Amino acid sequence: GDRVVVAPNISCGQCVWCQRGLPNHCDHFTTIGIYKDGGLAPQVRVPAENCFPISSDVPSHIAALAEPLSTVVNGVRLAQPFPGQSAVVIGAGPAGLMYAALLRFAGAMVTVLEPSEERASLATEMGAAHTIDPTQEDPVGAVRDLTDSLGADVVIDAVGSQLPVAMQVVRKAGRIVLFGLGPARSDFAQEDVTRNELTLVGAFIGQAVFPDAIRLLEQHAEDFAPLVTHRVGIEELPTAMEEMRAG
């Protein structure tokens, strides 16, 4: 009878990576709702250790954000923002919007690079102090203008193809978190990383992130509400899925 959210990723617990405490790199990694049936069904059978209690005060459509938010929690931990620092988030999809919120919670001044007017507006609602349309103005110059010509302390690539841009908007000795997964291959001068003492880290799912994500949803449910722009019934689902596939 407990109300829970489900961490959908399942690790074997026995391979060398699981034994080293890195279940997100499990050799036999699988996911409920992707590789295993489940998710869009009235009932689903999941391992008990993948169930995390969540307050009944959190509306269901907000509680459903726990899994993507948990991966962003991991990325923000790696970014190590500090109050008063500047942060740039590239891309204002669902993950980028969550990054904007969490970086704001951490006390950073957040700038979001996003060409979609609708998503840029949501970024402002989620806590971005500034939004920049990179198709209308030079994002590098705009970020420099906002940071006394230094560049951002922290840059998040929430798209998965924006490392070259991230390298240009980050300050010397700044941190870049590569979050988005995409097929892009980036050419960049390795000497720039060395000479400017940049820190580049990848952020993939994370370890023990669900409790923090749930606590954030319980404490800030209203702050995450703008992320849910549509609510679709089961009977409408096939049409909605086709719309999603079409972009």
Side-chain angles (χ1 to χ4, degrees):
D2 291 339
R3 186 177 194 248
V4 300
V5 288
V6 176
N9 300 304
I10 299 176
S11 304
C12 73
Q14 300 173 21
C15 72
V16 63
W17 300 115
C18 285
Q19 291 184 343
R20 285 172 176 253
L22 297 170
N24 58 327
H25 297 290
C26 172
D27 283 335
H28 308 289
F29 194 81
T30 190
T31 306
I32 300 165
I34 298 179
Y35 308 111
K36 295 173 70 72
D37 287 346
L40 303 180
Q43 294 181 318
V44 60
R45 184 171 182 262
V46 301
E49 61 265 28
N50 289 65
C51 296
F52 293 83
I54 189 167
S55 169
S56 59
D57 293 335
V58 181
S60 293
H61 66 285
I62 304 297
L65 301 173
E67 190 279 332
L69 181 61
S70 73
T71 65
V72 172
V73 165
N74 176 57
V76 173
R77 284 180 182 172
L78 294 169
Q80 300 178 358
F82 193 80
Q85 289 190 330
S86 57
V88 168
V89 178
I90 306 176
L97 293 168
M98 290 179 180
Y99 268 107
L102 266 61
L103 290 165
R104 175 176 66 86
F105 294 161
M109 182 194 76
V110 182
T111 299
V112 174
L113 308 187
E114 172 56 53
S116 162
E117 185 175 341
E118 182 180 5
R119 288 185 168 189
S121 177
L122 273 175
T124 300
E125 201 171 346
M126 295 294 291
H130 307 280
T131 61
I132 297 168
D133 180 349
T135 67
Q136 299 298 317
E137 60 179 312
D138 171 29
V140 179
V143 170
R144 298 284 172 183
D145 288 343
L146 292 169
T147 58
D148 297 326
S149 299
L150 297 177
D153 298 288
V154 172
V155 180
I156 310 291
D157 175 8
V159 179
S161 62
Q162 299 300 303
L163 177 57
V165 176
M167 296 274 291
Q168 293 179 72
V169 299
V170 73
R171 69 161 169 83
K172 295 181 188 300
R175 301 177 297 285
I176 297 174
V177 176
L178 303 177
F179 177 84
L181 283 171
R185 297 290 182 268
S186 297
D187 291 325
F188 67 94
Q190 184 171 321
E191 64 178 323
D192 289 343
V193 178
T194 304
R195 181 66 181 81
N196 294 321
E197 291 194 311
L198 301 180
T199 300
L200 276 65
V201 294
F204 183 66
I205 300 175
Q207 316 292 341
V209 284
F210 251 71
D212 283 344
I214 291 168
R215 188 158 51 248
L216 282 165
L217 292 176
E218 289 175 339
Q219 295 175 357
H220 299 278
E222 289 304 313
D223 290 305
F224 292 103
L227 284 167
V228 182
T229 58
H230 297 72
R231 299 179 70 170
V232 177
I234 289 287
E235 67 282 354
E236 303 167 282
L237 197 54
T239 301
M241 293 292 283
E242 289 305 318
E243 289 178 355
M244 290 174 63
R245 290 188 180 105

